[in-house]
Amino acid sequence: MPRRSRPWEEIGDQHSRSLEWSPLHRERRARPSSFHLAGRATCLLKAGVTMSTRPPMRPPGNAPALLLGFQPALALTGALCLQQNLGSSSPSKKQSKENTMTINCVTFPHPDTMPEQQLLKPTEWSYCDYFWADKKDPQGNGTVAGFELLLQKQLKGKQMQKEMSEFIRERIKIEEEYAKNLAKLSQNSLAAQEEGSLGEAWAQVKKSLADEAEVHLKFSAKLHSEVEKPLMNFRENFKKDMKKCDHHIADLRKQLASRYASVEKARKALTERQRDLEMKTQQLEIKLSNKTEEDIKKARRKSTQAGDDLMRCVDLYNQAQSKWFEEMVTTTLELERLEVERVEMIRQHLCQYTQLRHETDMFNQSTVEPVDQLLRKVDPAKDRELWVREHKTGNIRPVDMEI
């Protein structure tokens, strides 16, 4: 059985034969599409597991684009771009070319033909839905990856947590200093000679200061053990973990850039081979050269090999993008979980702070209650009686002198 010729090998006469290489004409194999990532990502979100199986990235036919534009049609884009450069005017192929665009080595849907997309976690404003593109760096002329912004958010959260802990530490110092001053004041001898029921109330006022000082010391100790220390020690190795995470995603992005560079190089090589084949074919047809049919076959083989190389490079690129995509989904969801956990942890410990504060107020109130009780018993008449009894000099009043 004769070998089936490949589409880009078919060179016809000067009126009907045209130069043509396109992955669309390759023999199709039944295999999963990258668009199945949508279903897999949905399962990931529901089951909470990591996507580890990487499907091929070539879309079937005109399947709808999902998952934030990661419809990897770079294989089509490369060949169709070549078609246009060499004079192809197929409307369908031109439309296919405009379906995608590559920005910083990542392939997105073209904005003019972008189909409606479904978010992975609708209505939740999830990290995994909104950080795929790069953002212009406000500090320079470069760009910042969306994942880098998420890492900065995490590290900023860690810094805020640390500063909150330092704030509580300052609060503890104030409490300790306040308790120390209260205890010192309670030992002051001012008005120590006050007598009677008022003197008892005054003595209780001074004693309440000592009791209040003890309350504030206990409050500061609990602040340290139940608020400050947990805030400070929460995720001690967090920065290390984030650095590892950053390196992992950055390595995948570098690999993607490398694969994209290989695609561009292979596309350029294919263009040169196609032009060489076209030139030799035209020269032979118009009798401008003595090139033999063997030369044409040799050029055709080189063109075919260049086409195969481009297809291989595109497949490798799509695999790299698929891997990066999967890791982005799982990692951004993990960062989202960590942020929720951090916020909830801080909320709980601040609630503990307010609870301790309420308890301190209650204890302080209890130190004042004895003072209130004694103040209600202050009786100026009784105090006068007691003082008079103790210090009287005589109750016989003077009378008029007699002659």
Side-chain angles (χ1 to χ4, degrees):
M1 183 175 179
R3 180 180 70 86
R4 182 178 180 181
S5 63
R6 294 173 177 168
W8 56 85
E9 294 176 341
E10 298 174 359
I11 306 297
D13 56 45
Q14 60 182 349
H15 301 291
S16 62
R17 288 181 292 175
S18 62
L19 180 63
E20 189 168 336
W21 178 90
S22 169
L24 291 173
H25 293 155
R26 287 177 64 92
E27 188 174 350
R28 298 180 181 272
R29 296 187 297 253
R31 59 179 179 175
S33 163
S34 62
F35 298 113
H36 288 95
L37 280 174
R40 296 173 61 213
T42 302
C43 293
L44 168 95
L45 297 174
K46 291 181 179 179
V49 297
T50 302
M51 292 164 29
S52 59
T53 304
R54 182 172 65 250
M57 295 290 287
R58 187 177 303 168
N62 56 356
L66 297 173
L67 295 179
L68 306 167
F70 284 95
Q71 53 175 40
L74 187 60
L76 307 183
T77 305
L80 295 169
C81 185
L82 173 63
Q83 289 283 358
Q84 285 197 338
N85 291 339
L86 296 180
S88 174
S89 60
S90 171
S92 62
K93 294 174 183 177
K94 183 177 181 180
Q95 182 64 30
S96 297
K97 173 187 178 296
E98 295 176 351
N99 282 343
T100 62
M101 58 188 298
T102 302
I103 304 175
N104 290 344
C105 305
V106 180
T107 303
F108 295 95
H110 196 285
D112 296 337
T113 59
M114 182 167 55
E116 183 178 358
Q117 295 179 336
Q118 179 182 356
L119 297 176
L120 296 177
K121 300 180 72 175
T123 73
E124 295 189 30
W125 293 93
S126 174
Y127 289 168
C128 68
D129 280 321
Y130 296 98
F131 291 91
W132 293 105
D134 297 339
K135 188 176 183 179
K136 186 176 180 181
D137 187 359
Q139 306 297 329
N141 298 325
T143 58
V144 179
F147 185 77
E148 184 65 26
L149 292 177
L150 291 177
L151 282 180
Q152 292 175 6
K153 165 70 173 170
Q154 295 290 317
L155 295 176
K156 181 181 178 181
K158 176 64 176 177
Q159 179 63 25
M160 295 302 99
Q161 168 195 323
K162 179 182 177 183
E163 292 180 10
M164 288 179 188
S165 178
E166 293 172 352
F167 180 89
I168 298 298
R169 186 184 305 128
E170 292 300 315
R171 180 76 168 92
I172 292 172
K173 290 180 180 179
I174 292 173
E175 287 294 323
E176 292 174 342
E177 188 66 22
Y178 182 53
K180 178 181 177 181
N181 290 334
L182 284 177
K184 181 179 179 180
L185 184 59
S186 70
Q187 303 298 320
N188 193 290
S189 60
L190 292 174
Q193 297 179 4
E194 181 61 55
E195 300 174 336
S197 60
L198 181 59
E200 292 178 8
W202 176 246
Q204 186 60 44
V205 168
K206 294 169 69 176
K207 182 179 183 302
S208 71
L209 293 184
D211 295 338
E212 187 177 354
E214 185 66 23
V215 169
H216 284 279
L217 279 177
K218 290 180 179 179
F219 176 52
S220 65
K222 286 188 175 182
L223 277 181
H224 172 69
S225 62
E226 299 181 21
V227 181
E228 180 211 353
K229 192 174 180 180
L231 284 175
M232 180 59 71
N233 295 338
F234 184 66
R235 296 177 184 163
E236 291 181 333
N237 299 321
F238 187 70
K239 288 187 177 180
K240 270 185 190 176
D241 295 339
M242 289 299 99
K243 193 172 183 180
K244 290 179 182 178
C245 187
D246 184 20
H247 287 169
H248 177 58
I249 296 297
D251 288 344
L252 291 175
R253 189 69 184 266
K254 288 178 182 178
Q255 184 181 14
L256 183 62
S258 175
R259 296 301 188 193
Y260 181 75
S262 297
V263 169
E264 291 300 300
K265 183 178 179 180
R267 181 185 291 126
K268 182 179 179 181
L270 174 63
T271 302
E272 294 175 354
R273 294 301 182 186
Q274 290 282 46
R275 286 175 179 171
D276 180 61
L277 176 59
E278 183 181 28
M279 180 184 65
K280 290 181 178 179
T281 303
Q282 290 177 351
Q283 288 176 351
L284 180 64
E285 290 176 347
I286 61 178
K287 310 300 183 182
L288 292 180
S289 173
N290 294 325
K291 298 291 183 180
T292 63
E293 185 67 22
E294 187 63 28
D295 294 330
I296 299 298
K297 290 181 179 179
K298 183 177 180 181
R300 185 180 295 123
R301 282 195 302 271
K302 291 182 178 180
S303 176
T304 300
Q305 181 60 47
D308 290 341
D309 290 343
L310 177 58
M311 289 296 294
R312 179 182 57 81
C313 289
V314 168
D315 282 341
L316 291 175
Y317 167 86
N318 286 335
Q319 291 173 22
Q321 181 168 262
S322 176
K323 179 63 176 175
W324 173 73
F325 169 82
E326 294 170 2
E327 292 299 318
M328 276 286 290
V329 171
T330 55
T331 307
T332 54
L333 286 176
E334 177 63 12
L335 293 183
E336 185 176 302
R337 184 192 67 79
L338 291 174
E339 176 65 7
V340 171
E341 185 179 75
R342 182 190 74 90
V343 172
E344 185 61 25
M345 181 276 299
I346 293 177
R347 186 193 70 82
Q348 290 177 359
H349 285 88
L350 292 182
C351 285
Q352 181 64 15
Y353 165 79
T354 60
Q355 179 64 27
L356 291 173
R357 188 68 180 83
H358 290 316
E359 292 177 0
T360 301
D361 290 341
M362 292 173 58
F363 290 134
N364 283 336
Q365 184 64 30
S366 68
T367 65
V368 178
E369 288 176 359
V371 178
D372 288 336
Q373 293 173 4
L374 289 175
L375 288 175
R376 285 192 290 268
K377 294 179 180 180
V378 170
D379 185 348
K382 185 68 175 176
D383 287 355
R384 185 173 63 251
E385 176 188 349
L386 294 175
W387 188 85
V388 169
R389 283 180 180 275
E390 183 178 353
H391 298 92
K392 65 183 178 178
T393 59
N395 58 349
I396 303 299
R397 296 183 299 276
V399 296
D400 290 342
M401 181 185 297
E402 296 181 356
I403 299 176

